[in-house]
Each structure stands twice: as structure tokens, then as C-alpha cells.
Amino acid sequence: MTLLIKSATIIDKTSPFHNQTKDILIENGIILKIENSIENKGNFEEIQLDNLHISQGWFDTSVCFGEPGFEERETIENGLNTAAKSGFTAVAVNPNTSPVADNKATIEFIKNKACGFATSLYPLGSLTKNSESEDIAELFDMKNYGAIAFGDYKKPISNANLLKISLQYAQNFDGLIMSYPQDNSIARNGLVNEEKNSTRLGLKGLPALAEEMQIARDLFILEYTSGKLHIPSISTAKSVQLIKDAKKKGLQVTCSVTAHNLVLTDDELMDFDSNTKVLPPLRTSKDINALIKGLNDGVIDIITSDHNPIDIEHKKVEYSNAKFGTIGLESLFGALNKVIDTDVLIASLTTNPRKIFNIEINCIKVGEKADLTLFNPDDAYTFTEAHILSTSKNSIFLNKKLTGRVYGVIANNKTIL
């Protein structure tokens, strides 16, 4: 396949063409030419789109697809097609399936189901058997079958010694351990951020302290053991400071933040819309400001959608009974594009996650694989259910005004627009 992209503004700080508008010729999935103007002598397929920008393909490190076990929420096939049309050329899929992805057979099943798509799927293995925080799962076997990191999705490691042993053991094969930041003895049955709004609405509070205490504990253990620790979806100002201090000490710690925690506060709770029930909960404007500063300063490494499809039977119910989670692949770019500096946003979706999870990086230059996301950063619209491609429709951004539209991806020698 030969493809000619016309007049694309390149956003890639690793490329010699960063912030330049160029034509790009691609043949059999490899970038052949990048020039000011390329004549289409071979009558190749052309891509010429309004205000076209391209970057390295985006990588979302926290996605749930349901399959196996929860196909009514999302299948791998529809999930990967949704990811591609949302600008993601790679996704890391959480192990909260049924059965839990805690062994090589389940990892192999997930990988086999994901063959042949534009978007590449990288499984995350469960850290403990059945994600029950009791016994360590088959980490080395899962790594050999394609798992890129290990953690129990939204389930904290309550046993400190278990985390200690995991960090020590994983060093034998350069494994990355993920620890969800929540102390359940403090969080208990909390539903939303413990603040004025939780009191006003009569909803059980989930204090920032629950997150911060767990992070402090995990960082002490990391300092003792060494190894590599990734803390997913932090949400408070104090969490940013704790991780900043740990990085200054030279600890190998990285972290991510979700798109919705960067733009929405707990003021969204006023309508008791169960789509706003997420974990970690929506916090305050003070926390948002600290999270954005943490991104700009390089303390926070990755932005994720934390895409978690929930079927209507478990979401459109009384707030206290609804499951935590929102979809987010389709809305991530539009929600953040005018909030986060463009270079910071793109880095947090491309080079940063790939370095941390040890995934191949393809910068935009001649001879590299064409692994590209195509988008228009200036298109403003209201996000409605018509924009949702996922099987489940539980979006926290429904009816929000977004700016920035994704055209699609070019990856794995496939074009999805």
C-alpha cells in the first residue's frame, strides 16, 4: 500500500520536522519521504484533510474491554476499532476480565483475539491470583506470553509484604509493578471525594488521605527494594508532591492521571449522574491545578482515558449502587486539547508511556514505521451519544463542549479514518 499525506503539521518533538507542515509518502507501512511538496505521480491514495495535524501514534495505558467474560460491555474487536478511530495505535488492556488475566493462557487468548487490527493490544497481567491480593500470580510466564506490566485493576495491594516481594521478584526479568493508590481501611465505602459537596449531597466521602497514605507506603517499600513501580491514576495535589520527592531521590517511580481528573471537579456531582461515579473520584480545582502543574513539570508521566465500559444495568441505577467507571477513548483528546500544552499532551500519550512500558517508539522521520495519529486540534463540538463508538455509553463527558477532533490512525500498514 502506498499512501500520500498532504499538508500535515507534524507534532513530534523527537522528529526533525516538529511543528513543520509537510507532505509524507508512506509505502508498505514505512515512511519513504517527508518533503514540502510531493507530486503524486503514481496516482497513490491521498489523504488531504482540513487543518490536518499528525503525531506519533497515541498509546493508552489503561483500557478495559470486558472480553473474556463481559462481552456485553465491550468486545476486543469493537474496543480496538473504537481505539483506532479515537486516535490510539496501541492500548494496554487491564486484567479485570472473567477469568482474570492472571496466567499465560488468558494472556495468550487476549493477544490472539487482537491480531490483525490497526491498533496493537498489549495485555496487563494481574499481579495476584484472581486479583485477590493474596498470592502472586505467574508473572514471569505472563511476561513471556506478552504481558507488559502487572497490577490488580482498581484493587490496592493491602499486604505491604506482598508488594515488597513483587518488586524484588520482578527485578529478575525487568518487570514493571503497578500499585493502585488507595488505602481501603480509610476509603471504606466511599463514593465521591470527601469535601463540601459530599456532605451537601449526603454521599459517602472517599478522602484524599486514602490515596496519599497508600502512595507514601508504596514509595517507602520501593526505596527499600528498588525495582520499578508505576502508580496509576493519581488524583490529589499531595500525591503529586509525594511522587515528585521520590523522583528527586532517584527512585524508579512513574505515574499516570486520567483525562477526567484533569478537567472535571466534584461540582459535577450535583445532578447525581452515575456517569460521574469514577475511581479515583473527581476532586477539587486545587487538585486539578496541581495535576496540570505536575504534568508540565514532568512529575506525572502519562495521561490515560481509563476507558471502562459499564453496561446500562450496572450504571444507570441509583448512585450508590452504580459501578465505578467511565468510557474515555472517544473524548480524551477533545477534553484535554485546550487545557494541556500540546507538546506535553502529545508526549504523555506517545513517547512517555512507550518508554515506561518498553514499547517500540517510531518517530516521524524517513525510514521509520508509519505509526501515526491524525487530528484537527481546532474543531469545536458538543460531545453527544452519537460520538460514542463503544458498546457501553457511560461517558462522563456527555453533553460537554470539546475542542479537537480525531480523524483516525495509520498503523500496522492499515489506515482507519
Side-chain angles (χ1 to χ4, degrees):
M1 177 188 78
T2 304
L3 191 63
L4 179 59
I5 303 173
K6 299 293 289 184
S7 299
T9 301
I10 297 170
I11 308 296
D12 179 3
K13 290 188 75 174
T14 68
S15 168
F17 306 103
H18 179 52
N19 279 334
Q20 298 178 38
T21 300
K22 300 286 185 180
D23 288 0
I24 303 172
L25 184 65
I26 298 167
E27 185 175 292
N28 296 324
I30 304 296
I31 298 174
L32 271 190
K33 294 181 181 179
I34 301 177
E35 298 176 3
N36 289 334
S37 180
I38 299 174
E39 189 178 348
N40 193 353
K41 294 180 179 179
N43 198 27
F44 307 129
E45 180 183 350
E46 271 191 25
I47 295 177
Q48 193 161 8
L49 299 165
D50 183 45
N51 193 28
L52 176 60
H53 287 58
I54 67 167
S55 71
Q56 291 181 31
W58 303 343
F59 177 26
D60 193 332
T61 62
S62 180
V63 168
C64 305
F65 283 159
E67 188 176 7
F70 302 110
E71 287 83 357
E72 71 280 4
R73 300 178 186 176
E74 191 78 283
T75 62
I76 289 173
E77 179 181 1
N78 192 67
L80 288 174
N81 287 330
T82 297
K85 291 173 183 177
S86 302
F88 295 91
T89 63
V91 292
V93 176
N94 290 304
N96 58 329
T97 50
S98 182
V100 170
D102 64 357
N103 59 76
K104 62 184 181 183
T106 309
I107 296 295
E108 187 174 29
F109 168 84
I110 293 169
K111 289 212 47 137
N112 287 341
K113 290 283 287 188
C115 290
F117 292 88
T119 297
S120 300
L121 183 153
Y122 296 95
L124 297 169
S126 177
L127 179 65
T128 64
K129 291 181 180 178
N130 206 34
S131 287
E132 292 177 344
S133 197
E134 291 183 4
D135 300 303
I136 296 175
E138 303 168 2
L139 307 189
F140 184 63
D141 280 351
M142 286 192 285
K143 182 175 176 68
N144 288 337
Y145 276 78
I148 59 171
F150 308 96
D152 297 336
Y153 182 67
K154 302 296 183 187
K155 293 182 177 180
I157 304 167
S158 55
N159 184 336
N161 191 54
L162 187 65
L163 177 61
K164 178 179 78 72
I165 294 170
S166 299
L167 285 165
Q168 291 171 327
Y169 172 60
Q171 290 176 57
N172 293 309
F173 51 88
D174 196 32
L176 177 63
I177 301 298
M178 303 170 66
S179 177
Y180 181 68
Q182 180 171 293
D183 185 325
N184 278 344
S185 66
I186 295 174
R188 301 180 70 81
N189 297 317
L191 303 174
V192 299
N193 183 45
E194 186 176 84
E195 259 282 354
K196 293 177 182 177
N197 285 334
S198 63
T199 303
R200 186 180 295 122
L201 298 171
L203 294 171
K204 292 179 180 177
L206 202 168
L209 180 66
E211 175 175 310
E212 294 152 7
M213 281 193 62
Q214 190 81 355
I215 289 176
R217 185 207 72 169
D218 290 356
L219 292 174
F220 270 116
I221 295 171
L222 179 64
E223 188 172 10
Y224 179 80
T225 60
S226 298
K228 296 193 299 185
L229 177 67
H230 180 70
I231 301 175
S233 56
I234 69 169
S235 67
T236 79
K238 182 66 174 176
S239 296
V240 176
Q241 187 61 51
L242 287 167
I243 293 168
K244 181 179 181 179
D245 294 343
K247 286 189 171 186
K248 282 184 178 178
K249 289 181 178 179
L251 300 184
Q252 290 191 80
V253 59
T254 55
C255 66
S256 67
V257 62
T258 71
H260 45 272
N261 281 113
L262 284 168
V263 291
L264 302 177
T265 70
D266 58 0
D267 289 340
E268 299 290 328
L269 305 174
M270 295 306 170
D271 294 330
F272 290 93
D273 180 359
S274 61
N275 285 333
T276 65
K277 187 178 179 183
V278 290
L279 200 64
L282 300 178
R283 303 288 188 184
T284 67
S285 57
K286 176 187 173 184
D287 294 305
I288 285 178
N289 291 336
L291 291 167
I292 292 174
K293 187 176 187 304
L295 271 170
N296 291 333
D297 293 345
V299 177
I300 299 174
D301 306 277
I302 297 171
I303 296 174
T304 77
S305 69
D306 206 19
H307 180 82
N308 190 4
I310 306 292
D311 54 279
I312 194 169
E313 288 84 0
H314 291 98
K315 198 60 174 174
K316 203 167 185 180
V317 293
E318 185 180 349
Y319 202 95
S320 59
N321 293 328
K323 286 186 176 294
F324 289 100
T326 176
I327 58 172
L329 286 169
E330 302 97 315
S331 54
L332 183 146
F333 181 67
L336 297 180
N337 176 44
K338 296 302 180 183
V339 178
I340 309 298
D341 175 80
T342 300
D343 287 345
V344 173
L345 175 58
I346 297 302
S348 70
L349 294 172
T350 56
T351 51
N352 291 1
R354 281 182 165 83
K355 285 177 183 176
I356 291 165
F357 286 84
N358 198 26
I359 303 300
E360 182 183 17
I361 296 172
N362 295 293
C363 77
I364 302 175
K365 64 180 183 181
V366 173
E368 292 279 324
K369 288 182 184 177
D371 188 89
L372 307 170
T373 297
L374 290 71
F375 57 94
N376 177 348
D378 298 324
D379 192 9
Y381 60 101
T382 299
F383 187 77
T384 67
E385 196 165 304
H387 296 106
I388 296 177
L389 306 170
S390 303
T391 303
S392 298
K393 310 302 179 185
N394 56 305
S395 172
I396 200 169
F397 287 107
L398 269 176
N399 303 315
K400 300 289 185 190
K401 291 183 179 179
L402 308 184
T403 303
R405 191 183 298 275
V406 174
Y407 288 127
V409 300
I410 299 170
N412 289 329
N413 205 18
K414 293 179 172 58
T415 303
I416 304 292
L417 297 173

